[in-house]
Amino acid sequence: MAFALILVIGIVLANVTGGSRSPGSAAPSGGAPSAAASAGRSGGGVKAGGVASGVPVGYPRTREGVTAAAVNYEVARSSPSYVTNQSFRHSVLAVMMASDSLAGQQQVDDRDAVKLTSALGIGKDSSSRLILRAAALGTQVGSYSPEVATVRVWMSELVGMTSSDSPVPVSANWSTYALTLQWQHGDWKISDISQSAGPTPLQTSDRLPDSVGTFRKMDEDFHAPPYVG
């Protein structure tokens, strides 16, 4: 969820100050993937063993299993309800976080949700106009053992309001998340999350953004990207 907060605040500041540099254009702080790291698509053909609070759970104790868990956990943190509904957010975090890390991540995400809803001007009557979606573009396993693993997930993201008077139009962003996961209670659980901007591709220069109404229609008609596995 940090990507949305960074993107929204950047757009608001640009509108106020007249700045032209788009958020998320910096190179990722983690640097380029090393040749020894395992890169690939999002989780292969791994199947989760079940669902809890709407999130796939029960991953194999394998490199492919931890990769699928990392992707799905980040997708689960990228929905409108995750931002606007604290109870839902806490239930999702309770599913994916390691026991020692749960309270701290709840505080971080609660704080970011308050800042994000404030920047977007979201109230009880306007929360349904929030678009927040993310899809994984690729993954990289930095290290792996049956006890702990580190996985980076490169994601494409949309955030904004389908309201004509919103300070933040629907905007695209790219982020790379670095997750540390540990094997706990028979499943992969997150012990740490960090995020860096990009890598961001060249934008198509001859295309104008579509209207608010178009995005509203697409959000209504198209399901969010599915979980892997």
Side-chain angles (χ1 to χ4, degrees), residues 15-38:
N15 289 340
V16 172
T17 63
S20 60
R21 187 164 184 253
S22 62
S25 58
S29 60
S34 67
S38 175

Side-chain angles (χ1 to χ4, degrees), residues 27-201:
S29 60
S34 67
S38 175
R41 291 182 293 177
S42 306
V46 170
K47 296 292 185 182
V51 176
S53 296
V55 182
V57 295
Y59 297 94
R61 198 174 188 177
T62 63
R63 183 183 294 263
E64 293 76 19
V66 75
T67 301
V71 170
N72 285 341
Y73 290 164
E74 273 308 311
V75 170
R77 295 177 65 238
S78 306
S79 73
S81 294
Y82 191 85
V83 172
T84 60
N85 187 323
Q86 185 185 61
S87 296
F88 176 76
R89 181 167 60 251
H90 285 192
S91 69
V92 168
L93 286 171
V95 167
M96 67 177 65
M97 298 302 300
S99 54
D100 292 344
S101 304
L102 175 58
Q105 195 63 47
Q106 283 181 341
Q107 291 178 355
V108 169
D109 284 7
D110 284 351
R111 180 192 64 213
D112 287 352
V114 170
K115 291 180 180 179
L116 181 57
T117 54
S118 176
L120 288 169
I122 298 175
K124 291 182 178 179
D125 296 333
S126 59
S127 60
S128 63
R129 303 190 191 108
L130 172 63
I131 290 181
L132 179 54
R133 297 189 179 206
L137 300 176
T139 59
Q140 178 198 65
V141 179
S143 63
Y144 173 80
S145 78
E147 303 300 329
V148 63
T150 58
V151 182
R152 298 175 74 205
V153 184
W154 180 30
M155 301 191 77
S156 175
E157 304 140 340
L158 289 178
V159 62
M161 298 289 288
T162 58
S163 305
S164 58
D165 58 348
S166 171
V168 181
V170 178
S171 306
N173 192 52
W174 287 262
S175 297
T176 301
Y177 293 86
L179 288 77
T180 302
L181 300 96
Q182 63 186 63
W183 187 258
Q184 186 178 89
H185 307 308
D187 204 359
W188 290 108
K189 303 292 183 181
I190 301 173
S191 59
D192 186 69
I193 306 172
S194 62
Q195 178 256 349
S196 59
T200 301

